[in-house]
Amino acid sequence: MVQDLSVLQKSPLFGTINTHDIKKMMENAPTRIVTFSKDALIAEEGENCDRLGIILSGEIEIQKIYASGKTVTMAHFKEGNIFGEALIFSKVHLYPGTVVSRTPAQILFLQKSTIISLCRKHPEFLENFLSLLSERILMLNKKIKELSMGTIRQKIAYFLLEEYEKQGNLTIKLPFSKEIIAEHMGIQRPSLSRELVNMREEGWIDMEKNIIHIKDLQQLTDFLLD
Amino acid sequence: MVQDLSVLQKSPLFGTINTHDIKKMMENAPTRIVTFSKDALIAEEGENCDRLGIILSGEIEIQKIYASGKTVTMAHFKEGNIFGEALIFSKVHLYPGTVVSRTPAQILFLQKSTIISLCRKHPEFLENFLSLLSERILMLNKKIKELSMGTIRQKIAYFLLEEYEKQGNLTIKLPFSKEIIAEHMGIQRPSLSRELVNMREEGWIDMEKNIIHIKDLQQLTDFLLD
DNA sequence: ATATCTATGTAACAGATGTTACGGAGAGAA
DNA sequence: TTCTCTCCGTAACATCTGTTACATAGATAT
């Protein structure tokens, strides 16, 4: 294992650990670094996933390849990213798609048993790994909340309340262009404009350029409950 | 700690461990069992969450209480369930809602430090805890996929393909009433009926009572990609 | 100044979905 | 049988949202 592992610090699994300690940790850990050329097959859909991958260099994708030959990219990872971390410890640990390299890539693989051993020997690693999974859960929860907003008005209300909490002010400065905001909400830009006008006409908000003022906070919060 | 901990076996954290070992594990672990009366306040929204809770008995809820006084139940837990497991190891570990008991309840609390210690000493506990988080991630991922289906036809196609894989047959027996299925998809029952008829008229499927036959599998899969 | 480009507002139309109401089929009870 | 209840299909209508097209304001470059 004569290898430069400083890139591991870019990964949340080792971010809190200094290079010297990382080197020491990995010396006794059975790891494998594999080099892939561009467009190489890293793992096939349905294959057993018993190891976690850390991208040391390059970029990879997880693709769903359909019988028709069409492929859809499910996820994209680059240097420092980790993949497979939730799969190895789940009951059904099969890759949900085909893993391929988009560029030449170098990947450090950690076997499930190695991870368990690292967790037991290095509290910091254990805590990092648990944080990794936990943050993922919270992120997914937030995404589900957003997706659960059915109508455009609900999405807007949710967005405004979030911004209100972030900015601590009923008068909100839009952090992005309306085009970007609409895209983030998964709706069309004209639909966003139209609904904002409706809400102004109904007295919910005031608008001027990229400033929106919440006229009735309670109305907004109440609306999200019906 | 003279206490009957056999109920812990109902929890995924200890399910794989026999009662004797559980008792031994917990003897040296600093845990706290707290008894709550009905409708008691267990934790307030925004409060720091540095411990995980395992419900030994009773039922609790996480509620969002709005300024208007309206409350919405965010989650519901009962005997054997665990809460707070993703919060304690995340950066922002504040309760997202108010935790209250719906019935008299007994809760075993494990401090973050205790969990780390259990993970280090008991590989089985470590693996169970990691599985718990991992399964949650996969479940949320699936939920997001479902929610991402925009149109009713997409939801139906996704549902049919899932059932096709489950049942291993192009002729699918609906596992629930259409009313339930519609509710699960987040749409109205008549809307589901109407769209099923449309799909039949367009030659995608055949239907008879609670049986649906996929006439063109490829059409369905292709459709989900556009 | 002029031209150009981008973000935005606006309107008209089409399509998708929710809402509501009604009737029929089938299961189970009296 | 007859009644009742649930599930389901169906239709008419209302509403929401996407689509497309066009106009304008402001920024920027030449």
Side-chain angles (χ1 to χ4, degrees):
Chain A
M1 277 276 314
V2 186
Q3 191 86 26
D4 178 22
L5 292 179
S6 62
V7 66
L8 283 185
Q9 276 217 304
K10 288 195 182 179
S11 142
L13 269 185
F14 297 94
T16 64
I17 307 175
N18 69 54
T19 317
H20 178 262
D21 288 348
I22 292 179
K23 199 177 165 194
K24 215 167 151 190
M25 280 171 63
M26 302 309 276
E27 254 168 12
N28 300 313
T31 65
R32 233 181 69 191
I33 296 181
V34 183
T35 303
F36 296 94
S37 57
K38 189 187 170 204
D39 294 325
L41 177 68
I42 299 171
E44 272 185 293
E45 174 172 353
E47 194 176 306
N48 195 45
C49 172
D50 58 356
R51 57 191 191 173
L52 167 160
I54 304 177
I55 321 258
L56 300 180
S57 69
E59 301 186 15
I60 72 169
E61 279 184 356
I62 299 188
Q63 299 176 334
K64 192 92 181 175
I65 302 177
Y66 292 87
S68 63
K70 279 188 190 171
T71 69
V72 174
T73 298
M74 300 170 63
H76 186 104
F77 300 102
K78 51 188 179 180
E79 191 174 308
N81 289 163
I82 296 172
F83 65 96
E85 78 278 1
L87 275 178
I88 40 179
F89 289 102
S90 63
K91 286 175 217 143
V92 182
H93 38 266
L94 306 176
Y95 282 104
T98 300
V99 187
V100 297
S101 54
R102 264 180 74 89
T103 70
Q106 219 182 4
I107 300 180
L108 168 66
F109 285 108
L110 294 177
Q111 292 292 326
K112 180 173 174 175
S113 54
T114 307
I115 293 174
I116 292 181
S117 146
L118 282 173
C119 282
R120 299 195 64 198
K121 289 184 196 153
H122 305 281
E124 209 157 1
F125 181 88
L126 168 63
E127 202 158 332
N128 285 346
F129 193 49
L130 292 177
S131 291
L132 177 68
L133 297 176
S134 298
E135 294 291 349
R136 175 73 53 95
I137 289 176
L138 296 184
M139 186 268 288
L140 292 174
N141 268 328
K142 190 175 171 220
K143 205 164 180 177
I144 286 181
K145 247 193 205 165
E146 284 174 17
L147 285 171
S148 300
M149 297 298 124
T151 68
I152 289 184
R153 187 166 294 206
Q154 280 177 321
K155 295 182 202 224
I156 294 176
Y158 181 78
F159 170 78
L160 289 179
L161 290 175
E162 256 194 335
E163 288 302 317
Y164 161 64
E165 293 198 357
K166 269 189 208 164
Q167 303 185 23
N169 196 315
L170 282 175
T171 299
I172 292 165
K173 185 174 177 308
L174 298 183
F176 312 106
S177 75
K178 293 188 179 168
E179 199 154 15
I180 304 276
I181 293 175
E183 186 185 340
H184 185 269
M185 290 179 172
I187 62 177
Q188 299 305 115
R189 180 189 59 79
S191 298
L192 173 59
S193 283
R194 177 174 41 204
E195 194 58 23
L196 282 174
V197 170
N198 289 341
M199 292 173 80
R200 176 173 59 191
E201 283 175 355
E202 294 174 31
W204 297 45
I205 57 175
D206 275 339
M207 281 163 36
E208 192 184 346
K209 293 189 176 178
N210 63 337
I211 302 290
I212 294 185
H213 175 73
I214 301 176
K215 289 179 77 172
D216 193 338
L217 184 61
Q218 175 130 356
Q219 190 174 33
L220 275 189
T221 58
D222 285 359
F223 172 67
L224 279 185
L225 314 183
D226 30 356
Chain B
M1 279 272 318
V2 185
Q3 192 85 27
D4 179 21
L5 293 178
S6 62
V7 67
L8 284 184
Q9 275 216 306
K10 288 196 182 178
S11 143
L13 270 184
F14 297 93
T16 63
I17 307 174
N18 68 55
T19 317
H20 178 261
D21 289 348
I22 292 179
K23 200 178 164 194
K24 216 168 149 190
M25 279 171 64
M26 303 308 277
E27 254 169 10
N28 298 315
T31 64
R32 233 181 69 192
I33 296 181
V34 183
T35 303
F36 295 93
S37 57
K38 190 187 171 205
D39 293 325
L41 178 68
I42 299 172
E44 272 184 294
E45 174 172 353
E47 194 176 306
N48 196 46
C49 172
D50 57 356
R51 56 191 191 175
L52 168 160
I54 303 176
I55 320 262
L56 299 180
S57 69
E59 301 186 15
I60 72 168
E61 279 184 355
I62 299 188
Q63 299 176 333
K64 192 93 179 174
I65 303 177
Y66 292 87
S68 63
K70 279 187 189 171
T71 69
V72 174
T73 298
M74 300 171 63
H76 186 103
F77 300 102
K78 51 190 178 179
E79 191 175 306
N81 289 163
I82 296 172
F83 65 96
E85 78 278 2
L87 276 179
I88 40 179
F89 289 103
S90 64
K91 287 174 217 145
V92 182
H93 38 265
L94 306 176
Y95 282 104
T98 300
V99 187
V100 297
S101 55
R102 264 180 74 88
T103 70
Q106 218 181 6
I107 301 181
L108 168 66
F109 286 107
L110 294 177
Q111 291 291 327
K112 179 174 174 175
S113 55
T114 307
I115 293 173
I116 293 182
S117 147
L118 282 173
C119 282
R120 299 196 64 199
K121 288 184 198 153
H122 305 281
E124 211 158 358
F125 180 88
L126 168 64
E127 203 157 332
N128 284 346
F129 193 49
L130 292 176
S131 291
L132 177 68
L133 296 176
S134 298
E135 294 291 349
R136 174 73 53 95
I137 288 175
L138 296 184
M139 185 268 287
L140 292 174
N141 268 327
K142 190 175 171 222
K143 205 163 181 179
I144 285 181
K145 248 192 204 164
E146 285 173 14
L147 285 171
S148 301
M149 297 296 126
T151 68
I152 289 185
R153 186 165 296 206
Q154 280 177 320
K155 294 181 202 223
I156 294 176
Y158 182 79
F159 171 78
L160 289 178
L161 290 175
E162 256 194 335
E163 288 302 318
Y164 162 63
E165 293 197 358
K166 269 190 209 163
Q167 304 186 22
N169 196 314
L170 282 175
T171 299
I172 292 164
K173 185 173 177 309
L174 298 184
F176 313 105
S177 75
K178 292 187 180 168
E179 200 155 14
I180 304 276
I181 293 175
E183 186 185 339
H184 185 268
M185 290 179 172
I187 61 178
Q188 300 304 115
R189 181 189 59 78
S191 299
L192 173 60
S193 283
R194 175 172 45 200
E195 193 59 22
L196 282 173
V197 170
N198 289 341
M199 290 172 81
R200 176 172 58 191
E201 283 175 354
E202 295 173 31
W204 297 45
I205 57 175
D206 276 339
M207 281 164 36
E208 191 183 349
K209 293 190 176 178
N210 63 338
I211 303 289
I212 295 184
H213 175 74
I214 300 176
K215 290 179 77 172
D216 193 337
L217 184 61
Q218 175 129 359
Q219 190 174 33
L220 275 189
T221 59
D222 284 0
F223 172 68
L224 278 185
L225 314 183
D226 25 357

